[in-house]
Amino acid sequence: MRIIVLGSAAGGGFPQWNCNCRNCRGVRSGTVAATPRTQSSIAVSSNDTDWLLINASPDILAQIRATPALQPARATRDSGIAAVMLMDAQVDHVTGLLMLREGKPLPLYCTAPVWNDLNTDLPLAPVLSHYCGLRWHRLDTVGDGPAMHPVHVPGMDGVRFTPLALSSKPPPYSPHRAHPQVGDNIGLLIENLASGRSLFYAPGLGAVEPQVDAAMRQADCVLVDGTFWREDEMIRHGFSHKSAADMGHLPQSGEGGMIAVLDRLECRKVLIHINNTNPILDDDSEQRAILARHGIEVAFDGMEIAL
């Protein structure tokens, strides 16, 4: 099983188009040792031909250009993207669907709350019905509804996907932003049945509940929320009055933070969905050195994981 990190940044990418924080200003001028990143998404394949796109970011066209495996050119019109699976309905994870409108009907795997958001408050599904169209396949999280078994996606032979409900937040545009529902945000345990190895993927993670802890302990690699270093990061920068928890993210530092969570694991540990304000984007920062001492990696666009 092969996993390609198409994008590793949080919403807005890095550098963010309108931001002049130390990181964004520094990467533009070359005064900070950092690498630009597009908005978070990964692709998974068991045969290097058919790929499941997990989240469709607004940067998907640039990500396809940077990833030859996604454009195999077997016909006049072709794509290696066999289907799309969504972790949530956040704008930075779904609006790339509009860029895939010229193709055939697109199989889309997501939970009922996400599908509802995409048909009402952010009506991408009705819009795309006039183009390629979406074929919805419902994802039920563990403990949610009658279908509690793992998901098998056509073209992903030998790969099993198990969605788990996460404690996080629906998008700001969602009518139940203040009242999260089960299925607003999921994590995925992705298993290679042939090798017995697995990845736990959760780019948005507000708390580590028992089912999530169990999946992380089972996995050979975890690819998880690296949005913020501090709980009050956006407040300190003057960009928002909201904390990391208010936005549905678990910061790396502090008691009970992501570093403490990952220290309990003996697998490979990688952070993804990194906000432009996070000092870990600076390769030479003290925070990056702290991660290294804890055996924690920082994802970058084009990073590959083989399991």
Side-chain angles (χ1 to χ4, degrees):
M1 180 172 68
R2 184 179 170 201
I3 300 104
I4 301 177
V5 174
L6 303 178
S8 51
F14 176 62
Q16 184 171 301
W17 67 278
N18 65 344
C19 184
N20 290 294
C21 69
R22 177 184 180 275
N23 284 342
C24 291
R25 186 176 65 251
V27 75
R28 290 190 191 103
S29 65
T31 58
V32 170
T35 303
R37 289 164 163 83
T38 59
Q39 295 167 91
S40 71
S41 176
I42 66 172
V44 180
S45 180
S46 60
N47 57 18
D48 290 342
T49 300
D50 302 297
W51 293 85
L52 176 66
L53 182 66
I54 302 182
N55 289 337
S57 93
D59 298 316
I60 184 59
L61 297 185
Q63 292 167 349
I64 291 172
R65 287 194 294 270
T67 312
L70 297 183
Q71 177 44 270
R74 296 163 296 192
T76 305
R77 284 202 169 186
D78 192 23
S79 173
I81 299 172
V84 178
M85 186 176 290
L86 300 177
M87 308 294 288
D88 52 47
Q90 298 286 349
V91 167
D92 51 313
H93 288 163
V94 304
T95 48
L97 292 171
L98 293 171
M99 302 299 102
L100 305 177
R101 64 187 181 273
E102 294 89 357
K104 299 176 181 178
L106 188 62
L108 182 72
Y109 293 76
C110 64
T111 64
V114 170
W115 182 243
N116 183 64
D117 280 340
L118 298 186
N119 278 276
T120 54
D121 295 276
L122 184 65
L124 298 187
V127 170
L128 286 170
S129 69
H130 298 282
Y131 297 91
C132 61
L134 300 173
R135 296 203 310 268
W136 179 44
H137 300 264
R138 175 171 169 159
L139 293 180
D140 287 293
T141 57
V142 171
D144 172 33
M148 295 186 290
H149 53 79
V151 175
H152 296 271
V153 178
M156 304 291 114
D157 294 339
V159 180
R160 184 166 61 194
F161 301 87
T162 303
L164 294 90
L166 300 183
S167 288
S168 192
K169 299 268 185 146
Y173 68 80
S174 176
H176 59 276
R177 170 73 169 181
H179 305 284
Q181 300 177 355
V182 173
D184 282 328
N185 190 297
I186 65 169
L188 277 175
L189 182 64
I190 307 171
E191 300 171 271
N192 181 344
L193 301 180
S195 70
R197 306 182 73 198
S198 61
L199 172 84
F200 179 73
Y201 180 52
L205 186 59
V208 180
E209 296 178 308
Q211 76 277 12
V212 174
D213 183 66
M216 293 174 76
R217 291 180 183 277
Q218 175 183 338
D220 295 280
C221 178
V222 295
L223 186 59
V224 293
D225 193 332
T227 309
F228 299 119
W229 178 259
R230 296 176 58 106
E231 174 67 16
D232 62 349
E233 190 164 312
M234 295 296 279
I235 299 170
R236 286 169 62 89
H237 281 279
F239 293 153
S240 174
H241 63 277
K242 296 180 180 179
S243 68
D246 290 335
M247 299 182 193
H249 298 288
L250 183 66
Q252 283 100 68
S253 64
E255 184 178 354
M258 189 64 79
I259 292 175
V261 170
L262 296 180
D263 276 347
R264 304 198 300 259
L265 306 179
E266 297 181 358
C267 62
R268 184 178 180 185
K269 296 163 276 194
V270 186
L271 298 176
I272 194 170
H273 194 270
I274 305 149
N275 198 59
N276 61 286
T277 56
N278 195 327
I280 66 174
L281 288 168
D282 180 350
D283 296 342
D284 297 332
S285 67
E286 176 188 356
Q287 292 83 359
R288 191 64 169 270
I290 290 171
L291 291 183
R293 290 198 294 271
H294 286 266
I296 301 171
E297 303 173 54
V298 177
F300 54 88
D301 294 16
M303 182 183 204
E304 293 202 26
I305 299 169
L307 294 168

